[in-house]
Amino acid sequence: GVVTSIECNGREQETAKKGSSVAIKIVNETNPTITYGRQFDASHSLYSQLSRASIDALKLHFKDKLENEDWRLVVKLKKVFGII
């Protein structure tokens, strides 16, 4: 699916940091019948798709905005997705 919005206290925002409580709207056009509470819930892990190209884009455009913890997550996701 694709994250189409993130809200905190009823206000839309661009990003959310670890530990913040937000509502996220995910649209899954390939399988629109997947429902939170039925096929998945808070006990499941959700991953953002990552590719070599997206990592390179992060380095090029957001290197100064990402913190060390963010880069550690990128390294973890590289292992999850088998990115060299």
Side-chain angles (χ1 to χ4, degrees):
V2 176
V3 174
T4 58
S5 68
I6 303 171
E7 290 186 7
C8 182
N9 297 323
R11 293 186 180 158
E12 195 162 325
Q13 56 187 56
E14 289 289 316
T15 63
K17 290 288 188 179
K18 181 179 179 179
S20 59
S21 181
V22 296
I24 298 176
K25 181 178 181 181
I26 302 172
V27 175
N28 185 353
E29 293 180 5
T30 59
N31 192 350
T33 61
I34 292 178
T35 306
Y36 179 82
R38 290 191 178 148
Q39 289 86 6
F40 75 100
D41 60 25
S43 67
H44 293 88
S45 296
L46 294 177
Y47 293 99
S48 179
Q49 180 114 14
L50 197 66
S51 66
R52 169 50 52 199
S54 61
I55 294 170
D56 292 343
L58 285 172
K59 289 177 181 177
L60 182 64
H61 300 289
F62 300 100
K63 189 173 188 175
D64 297 337
K65 293 184 180 181
L66 295 176
E67 299 174 7
N68 285 338
E69 184 176 6
D70 301 320
W71 289 113
R72 284 192 294 273
L73 177 59
V74 169
V75 170
K76 179 181 175 182
L77 291 175
K78 282 175 60 176
K79 293 175 185 173
V80 169
F81 292 111
I83 299 169
I84 298 173

